[in-house]
Amino acid sequence: GAVVSQHPSRVICKSGTSVKIECRSLDFQATTMFWYRQFPKKSLMLMATSNEGSKATYEQGVEKDKFLINHASLTLSTLTVTSAHPEDSSFYICSARDGRADGELFFGEGSRLTVL
Amino acid sequence: KQEVTQIPAALSVPEGENLVLNCSFTDSAIYNLQWFRQDPGKGLTSLLLIQSSQREQTSGRLNASLDKSSGRSTLYIAASQPGDSATYLCAVPTSGSRLTFGEGTQLTVNP
């Protein structure tokens, strides 16, 4: 199947700093990528839909100024957690669709963010 | 609003047993359903994708069925192995190609 790569897999930062997480589709082009957040023992919560060449679409309740999303190319989307606080500590996962809108969705390995 | 429910939340079985995981969804107007596997601290691995026109899909020891009219899907795992231990998630698309996930079934296969 298609491969989606996330980097870094783990990051620890101090409160108030910003952290960037990258999501790459390695063997296909993804015009749309999705960013999810997962709390311990919970399912995934969609944060935003990242569209190549345009602004991201954020889900209700997600602060767009805190979670900056950039989708500058067909193979790369980035999520920047700005002025991170301990409550932002979480597991962040990106996904991308291979081809058709009704095609299979592939996920990255996730990024564990810990804010001290 | 689409809601996805998975039963049971957790399941522990001895190695070699056949098992069924259940997924139900409230809005049957879906065009596909996808089953994923998640290992602790890892991302999601796509297992099976069933299009709305299909009734089932098979991959190795896994078989997924879909009954749109009743809003149900099952994931059948044959001859379970300890390596099958993971959390299994089902998901259906909602508006704008987003996915709505169930809470998952945490499976433990004991040697």
Side-chain angles (χ1 to χ4, degrees):
Chain A
V3 178
V4 175
S5 174
Q6 261 184 263
H7 178 81
S9 57
R10 292 178 180 273
V11 57
I12 300 173
C13 69
K14 293 181 179 180
S15 185
T17 61
S18 295
V19 174
K20 179 184 287 187
I21 301 170
E22 294 186 347
C23 177
R24 295 181 184 272
S25 56
L26 297 186
D27 52 0
F28 66 99
Q29 293 185 332
T31 55
T32 303
M33 291 184 175
F34 304 90
W35 285 96
Y36 292 83
R37 182 173 180 174
Q38 187 177 34
F39 293 99
K41 297 189 182 298
K42 293 291 184 181
S43 192
L44 282 73
M45 180 191 77
L46 179 65
M47 298 174 64
T49 301
S50 171
N51 302 297
E52 188 267 337
S54 64
K55 291 182 178 180
T57 303
Y58 290 82
E59 295 300 301
Q60 191 173 9
V62 177
E63 299 177 59
K64 61 181 181 180
D65 293 331
K66 165 164 276 295
F67 300 101
L68 299 179
I69 291 173
N70 183 278
H71 193 157
S73 77
L74 287 171
T75 59
L76 173 65
S77 176
T78 60
L79 168 68
T80 301
V81 183
T82 63
S83 186
H85 291 282
E87 58 265 30
D88 298 326
S89 298
S90 192
F91 194 56
Y92 294 88
I93 309 177
C94 73
S95 68
R97 196 175 296 280
D98 179 9
R100 309 170 310 186
D102 61 346
E104 198 167 356
L105 202 62
F106 296 94
F107 283 76
E109 282 291 301
S111 299
R112 170 73 60 193
L113 170 63
T114 302
V115 184
L116 303 177
Chain B
K1 179 186 173 185
Q2 177 74 271
E3 292 182 1
V4 181
T5 304
Q6 288 187 247
I7 295 173
L11 181 64
S12 181
V13 300
E15 182 177 3
E17 193 163 298
N18 302 325
L19 56 99
V20 175
L21 307 181
N22 297 290
C23 172
S24 61
F25 44 94
T26 54
D27 185 350
S28 61
I30 62 171
Y31 53 82
N32 65 37
L33 181 145
Q34 200 164 350
W35 281 93
F36 296 90
R37 167 185 174 143
Q38 185 176 30
D39 292 285
K42 299 291 185 181
L44 276 65
T45 300
S46 177
L47 297 174
L48 289 164
L49 171 71
I50 312 177
Q51 299 293 350
S52 60
S53 58
Q54 299 172 317
R55 291 192 63 83
E56 63 178 57
Q57 277 278 19
T58 299
S59 176
R61 294 182 293 108
L62 305 179
N63 176 277
S65 68
L66 175 62
D67 184 344
K68 274 188 59 176
S69 59
S70 66
R72 294 180 183 178
S73 176
T74 61
L75 179 66
Y76 174 83
I77 302 177
S80 58
Q81 302 171 357
D84 294 331
S85 298
T87 296
Y88 290 81
L89 295 156
C90 69
V92 295
T94 52
S95 62
S97 297
R98 308 182 186 99
L99 287 185
T100 299
F101 285 85
E103 291 279 322
T105 294
Q106 186 174 352
L107 173 65
T108 302
V109 181
N110 301 300

